[in-house]
Structure formats: C-alpha cells, structure tokens
Amino acid sequence: MPAHEPAFNGPGDTSAAWVSNFVDGEFVEPDPGRSFDAVDPATGKVFAQVHEADGPLVDRAVNAARRALDQGWADTTVQERVALLRRVADGIERRFEDFVTAEVRDTGKPVTQARTLDVARAVQNFRAFADIVAAAGEESYLSELAGGRRALNYTVRKPLGVVAVIVPWNLPLLLLTWKVAPALACGNAVVVKPSEETPGTATLLAEVMREAGAPRGVYNVVHGFGGGSAGQFLTEHEGIDGVTFTGSSATGASVMRAVAPRVRPVSFELGGKNAAIVFDDVDVDEAVDGLARSVFTNTGQVCLCTERVYVQRRVFDEIADGLVRRAQGLRMADPWSETTTTGPLISQTHRAKVFDYMASAEQAGATVLTGGGVPAMGDLSGGSWIEPTLWTGLTNKDREVREEIFGPVAALIPFDTTEEAVTLANDTDYGLAAAVWTNDLRRGHDVAQRMRTGISWVNTWFTRELRSPFGGAGLSGIGREGGEHSLHFYTEPTNVCVQL
Ligand code: NAD
Ligand code: 6OD
C-alpha cells in the first residue's frame, strides 16, 4: 500500500477505503446507502467513502457513552485516567506516520506541517492534560460564622457526563485532542463529530483508544454534516450533558439554539478577524518573518491567523515589500513533498467563498500587491489551490476587513499613533487574537493588554502554553479552555459545607 493510502478503514478489509463510525468500542459496518465522498483537496479526487451516521446511530453513540459512565468510567481514579491518557499519547506516537498520512489526505496540508504541528500537538495534548489533571488541587475554605462557630467548605468536582465534541477541518486532530484529552482526564465519555471534510484522524484515534484500553463507549465517533445530520442529531440529543465546539460563529449560534431547551453548558472557540500591529521600531526582517507565518500558515486557515495588518506609516512600504516577497516565495506543490510550504484550501466551496472576497476587495478599490488568482498547478489543477494575496487601499469599513475570510489573505493598513492602532485593531465584532510587533517592550505590554482578545502575542504568533486560558471574546467564543480552565468546563462542582 502506498504510504499515503488511508489506513483507517475500520473493520476488516483495509482496501475498501471506508471511513467508519466508531460506537461502543466497535467500528460500525458501513452502509453503502448512507455515505459521502472524502475528497483530497490537493487533487480534487475522491479517495474514500465516509459512513454518515443517522439519528439512531447517534443515539447508540450517546447511549454507549452513558453506559460507559454508569459502568465505572466516571468513578475511575485520576491516576487511572492519567495512565490512559499517557498510553493514548504513546499510541499516537507509535502510529505517527499513519496520523500524518490521514491528516494530509484529508486536508492537503504540507506533510512537514502535519508532522511538526498537527500530530505532534495531538501527542502533547494528551501528555499535557495528563500532567494538568494529575497536579490539580481542590478548593477549600474555612468560614468564620457568628458565635465563634466555623464551617468547612470544600469542593468535589465530578465529570460533566456525556460530552459532545464538535470540531472543524482546519487543524482536525490538534483541535479534537485539545478537547478530548481534558474531557477524558476529568472522567467524561465523549461522542465526537469531526468535520465532514476531515473524518480520518478522529477515526484512527478510535483504533488507538481501543489499543490503549479505553473502556467501550468512552470514545465514540459519528460522521456527518451539521444541520439535518450528525451534528444536529448530537446537539439536540437529550442525553448530552455539555457541548464543546470549535467552528464558525454562525454554527456556534445554531449549536446554542439546539442546547437551549435543555440548558446545557457550552464551550465555544469560534471565528476570528485577527489584527497585527507593527510599530516602526521593529527589526523589519524579524517582523516580516513573523507576520508571514501569521498570515499564510495552513493557507490562512487557522482561526488565529492575521487578516488585518496595521503598520506604522514610516515602515509601511518596507513591511509590505517584505510580505510580498514572502508570499511569492511560498512553495505551493504536492503536499507529500518535503519542500512544500503551502497547501490548497480545504474545498472548492471554500475557495469560491475566498474568491468572492477577492472580487469584492477589488470592487471596493483595493490594490492587489500580490496574488488574487489560481496558481498553475499542473497535475494538481483539480485541487482547490489559491494564490496568497495581499491588499492595500482597504479600510475598516470594508467587508474584507470586517468579516473572517479564512484564507491566505491580508489587508495592510497604515496608522500613525499608538492610540489609532489600538482603536483600529479593537474595531471588530470578533475578539480572538492579536499580535503586536515592536522592540519597545513597555509599549508591547501596554498595547497587548489593551487588545479585546482572548490572546495577545508580542513579537510572536501561535506560541502556545497549554496551561493558559485559550478562547475568545465577542463573536469569537464563550468560555476558555486550557489548563485548569478546561478542568472547570469538563467538571460539575459540588460545594460541601460542614458546620464544625
Ligand atoms: P463550521 O462551523 O462550518 O463547522 C464546524 C463543525 O460544526 C463541523 O464538524 C460541522 O459539521 C459542524 N456543524 C455545522 N453545522 C452544525 C450544526 N447546525 N449543528 C452541529 N454541528 C454543526 O466551521 P468550519 O468551516 O469547519 O471551520 C472553520 C471555522 O472554524 C472558522 O470560522 C474558524 O475561525 C473556526 N475555528 C475557530 C477556532 C478557535 O479556536 N476559535 C479554531 C479553529 C477553527
Ligand atoms: O492551539 C490550540 O489549542 C488551539 N485551540 C488552536 C486553535 C486554532 C484555530 O484554528
């Protein structure tokens, strides 16, 4: 079998190229009447059939998760769960290249990125949350009461229960494991619904979970779409105790409506329209290097990517020239080549959306510094390739500067004063991330703190500390995950108050 053939076909025959649902510890026999295509975004070719879960199958998955909790998983010790998380991390490491293969096949992302970012972070997610839950303490307070009496208050944290984990296609395994690891660490059982575009690695993880000894029903995977499909069946299911969701803000609103009648907790990591602020004291090469990463990584399909670059006027042209050179130096080619830096967009549908913004930017009077079209890709021309694109001449009023595009595009806008830069950067309905580029650290701290975002970087981008809070304000989300913040979302506390 070629190295990049999918290795996640589910039961029995590995030549059939089926991606199966995984329920109650077993891969479910595929139903040829209920399937959809898995498409390689780099070629546009169909390479597998994905078994779409119907309502009864989602029901089985939720019930299996509930049984797993009732039959002892919820009562396991922290040490037992930590040990499972470490075995899962080891299991991913043992099958590292299988995960890389599945991720590259599903997304078209460069194989080097899948190795160094996506799959490496999946391993790290399980190890980090094993450490975090092992080190977590409990709260207790001694209350002074009238008459010299005292009461001891302590908090017992219990698993939330059955958690629905719904994730998108851009960093499929990274984002899935960022949620599954803490959920299991806290004693929950999960039903995960990966994106219809990227079903592979969640399915492969089922094999690893089984090998690692996860009890039946603790980890379930249902495949399908959102509305009218597995996503909706899952979020509307009365057996779900909470939903952790990463995806677009519009879908977040639908998920909120779906859980509202049963008042279930949600954790939302949603879209972004992230700003970079570049002051004129920067080392231009260093700043361009960081900016280029923040605009073009994963073909701009990272919620944290910069799509608005505010540059202090004195260095505007230098920064613009540097970014154009970086955009033109990106190597768009076969994702399996070790020298490829940039893959396609996830689908033709998404490419049409990004092109729509490119057309409207030009109508709004933008100057296209580079890009704006489809690169010549030869044998790969069936894929959803797009040129990295930079604009000047747009303002904060234009939709291309207000709406999340989720492609390798950015608008460069000049500013004069710090106050102006802060106002422009905060002038958005989103609030996920910002990056400040300056050699004046006092100014860096000041401006970073004034960003209305879940994270503000200074002289870096996408540098992650998994114990820190991660999430967004405004349209970018509800709540925070990471470190103890994850442990809070995935547990339900009971305060015990004992009069002494
Ligand atoms: P999406 O919202 O279309 O889909 C996300 C997931 O939700 C998919 O699994 C999808 O099938 C499912 N879904 C869609 N409709 C649903 C419904 N009605 N009920 C239940 N599930 C439903 O997002 P996408 O296009 O897959 O991903 C791109 C978006 O995700 C961008 O907006 C990006 O910013 C955001 N994102 C945010 C973060 C973050 O951490 N803040 C991380 C990655 C991606
Ligand atoms: O690094 C993470 O934990 C995280 N949730 C990243 C999100 C990236 C968005 O595409």
Side-chain angles (χ1 to χ4, degrees):
M1 185 165 61
H4 53 274
E5 280 300 303
F8 46 86
N9 299 323
D13 179 10
T14 51
S15 65
W18 270 99
V19 183
S20 302
N21 295 288
F22 183 77
V23 172
D24 202 14
E26 306 288 343
F27 286 100
V28 180
E29 197 58 45
D31 171 0
R34 199 173 168 86
S35 69
F36 58 94
D37 293 342
V39 178
D40 179 346
T43 61
K45 291 191 181 139
V46 175
F47 65 91
Q49 289 298 305
V50 188
H51 180 186
E52 185 182 358
D54 56 12
L57 188 54
V58 172
D59 197 40
R60 270 173 56 195
V62 174
N63 292 340
R66 175 72 54 204
R67 256 194 323 277
L69 293 168
D70 293 346
Q71 290 175 357
W73 175 248
D75 298 322
T76 46
T77 63
V78 169
Q79 288 84 346
E80 287 168 321
R81 299 196 298 268
V82 163
L84 175 70
L85 261 63
R86 294 200 197 288
R87 289 196 301 274
V88 172
D90 294 346
I92 299 173
E93 246 173 9
R94 268 196 299 277
R95 301 191 61 183
F96 198 89
E97 284 302 316
D98 289 342
F99 278 97
V100 168
T101 297
E103 206 72 311
V104 174
R105 221 15 176 351
D106 274 353
T107 60
K109 65 180 64 191
V111 66
T112 50
Q113 183 203 304
R115 285 198 188 106
T116 54
L117 174 64
D118 299 76
V119 182
R121 245 305 286 282
V123 174
Q124 200 191 346
N125 283 340
F126 280 101
R127 296 211 171 117
F129 280 105
D131 291 344
I132 289 163
V133 77
E138 298 293 354
E139 271 176 292
S140 66
Y141 304 98
L142 201 52
S143 314
E144 307 282 342
L145 307 176
R149 290 168 306 136
R150 293 192 302 172
L152 171 66
N153 285 269
Y154 61 92
T155 307
V156 181
R157 290 200 164 267
K158 299 169 223 160
L160 199 53
V162 178
V163 177
V165 180
I166 302 181
V167 282
W169 43 258
N170 60 328
L171 303 170
L173 183 66
L174 184 161
L175 294 169
L176 175 78
T177 53
W178 165 248
K179 291 173 177 301
V180 167
L184 298 191
C186 293
N188 300 284
V190 296
V191 181
V192 312
K193 200 211 73 68
S195 167
E196 56 275 26
E197 308 281 2
T198 52
T201 43
T203 312
L204 192 48
L205 186 61
E207 293 182 12
V208 168
M209 286 282 174
R210 202 157 61 172
E211 287 154 15
R216 297 170 74 101
V218 163
Y219 177 84
N220 305 275
V221 184
V222 291
H223 292 297
F225 303 85
S229 184
Q232 185 179 348
F233 303 148
L234 188 56
T235 50
E236 288 184 351
H237 199 288
E238 61 180 24
I240 291 296
D241 298 304
V243 180
T244 180
F245 170 77
T246 302
S248 64
S249 307
T251 305
S254 300
V255 171
M256 232 172 152
R257 282 192 290 274
V259 300
R262 284 157 291 112
V263 197
R264 294 296 188 260
V266 293
S267 173
F268 281 172
E269 296 176 350
L270 308 177
K273 186 71 186 178
N274 311 302
I277 299 179
V278 187
F279 286 100
D280 64 6
D281 60 4
V282 286
D283 174 295
V284 169
D285 289 341
E286 266 178 35
V288 164
D289 199 48
L291 284 167
R293 267 194 334 115
S294 79
V295 175
F296 301 125
T297 294
N298 210 43
T299 319
Q301 302 167 116
V302 180
C303 58
L304 305 162
C305 273
T306 300
E307 291 191 356
R308 301 181 287 143
V309 186
Y310 300 103
V311 187
Q312 205 158 21
R313 205 172 297 273
R314 193 174 67 80
V315 291
F316 188 86
D317 289 346
E318 271 183 284
I319 294 285
D321 290 349
L323 268 179
V324 167
R325 272 198 303 279
R326 293 300 298 262
Q328 292 172 350
L330 294 171
R331 188 158 183 278
M332 275 176 285
D334 182 358
W336 304 98
S337 158
E338 301 283 331
T339 56
T340 295
T341 59
T342 308
L345 292 174
I346 190 66
S347 64
Q348 299 290 350
T349 309
H350 187 49
R351 184 169 72 166
K353 178 189 145 189
V354 178
F355 272 138
D356 187 46
Y357 282 102
M358 289 185 172
S360 68
E362 290 190 50
Q363 279 155 18
T367 300
V368 181
L369 297 182
T370 186
V374 176
M377 295 303 298
D379 290 351
L380 299 177
S381 57
S384 34
W385 300 88
I386 196 160
E387 286 177 341
T389 299
L390 296 168
W391 299 300
T392 55
L394 295 173
T395 72
N396 271 24
K397 291 197 173 60
D398 293 307
R399 71 186 272 261
E400 302 75 21
V401 185
R402 303 211 68 80
E403 298 171 14
E404 182 187 51
I405 300 175
F406 221 53
V409 301
L412 277 62
I413 298 173
F415 71 87
D416 293 300
T417 65
T418 301
E419 288 312 308
E420 187 188 357
V422 169
T423 304
L424 286 168
N426 280 334
D427 174 24
T428 173
D429 297 328
Y430 291 96
L432 190 58
V436 183
W437 301 90
T438 177
N439 270 335
D440 177 347
L441 265 191
R442 184 182 302 204
R443 176 156 66 183
H445 282 286
D446 170 48
V447 173
Q449 288 177 34
R450 291 166 69 191
M451 293 294 99
R452 288 199 292 267
T453 53
I455 187 162
S456 296
W457 282 289
V458 180
N459 296 333
T460 183
W461 176 77
F462 208 173
T463 301
R464 294 280 289 110
E465 161 56 63
L466 305 189
R467 292 169 295 185
S468 290
F470 182 88
L475 279 186
S476 293
I478 296 179
R480 297 290 185 273
E481 296 197 35
E484 298 222 347
H485 303 269
S486 296
L487 305 191
H488 283 171
F489 177 72
Y490 293 107
T491 56
E492 190 73 56
T494 298
N495 178 55
V496 178
C497 178
V498 185
Q499 178 155 332
L500 301 178

Tab-separated table of all heavy atoms in Angstrom, residues 185 240 244 376 434:
chain	number	residue	atom	x	y	z
A	185	ALA	N	-9.728	13.146	30.781
A	185	ALA	CA	-8.955	13.309	32.025
A	185	ALA	C	-9.894	13.562	33.198
A	185	ALA	O	-9.620	13.148	34.329
A	185	ALA	CB	-7.964	14.461	31.880
A	240	ILE	N	-27.086	14.407	26.038
A	240	ILE	CA	-25.815	15.148	26.056
A	240	ILE	C	-25.796	16.092	27.270
A	240	ILE	O	-26.732	16.842	27.498
A	240	ILE	CB	-25.697	15.971	24.744
A	240	ILE	CG1	-25.495	15.045	23.553
A	240	ILE	CG2	-24.581	16.994	24.817
A	240	ILE	CD1	-24.217	14.265	23.591
A	244	THR	N	-18.757	20.917	23.654
A	244	THR	CA	-17.577	21.724	23.395
A	244	THR	C	-17.424	21.789	21.882
A	244	THR	O	-17.423	20.763	21.197
A	244	THR	CB	-16.328	21.184	24.121
A	244	THR	OG1	-15.227	22.031	23.807
A	244	THR	CG2	-15.999	19.741	23.778
A	376	ALA	N	-0.711	28.060	-11.255
A	376	ALA	CA	-0.625	26.959	-12.230
A	376	ALA	C	-0.112	25.732	-11.478
A	376	ALA	O	1.009	25.746	-10.971
A	376	ALA	CB	0.347	27.342	-13.334
A	434	ALA	N	-4.529	38.775	18.819
A	434	ALA	CA	-3.843	39.930	18.222
A	434	ALA	C	-2.350	39.678	18.367
A	434	ALA	O	-1.929	38.896	19.228
A	434	ALA	CB	-4.229	41.217	18.942
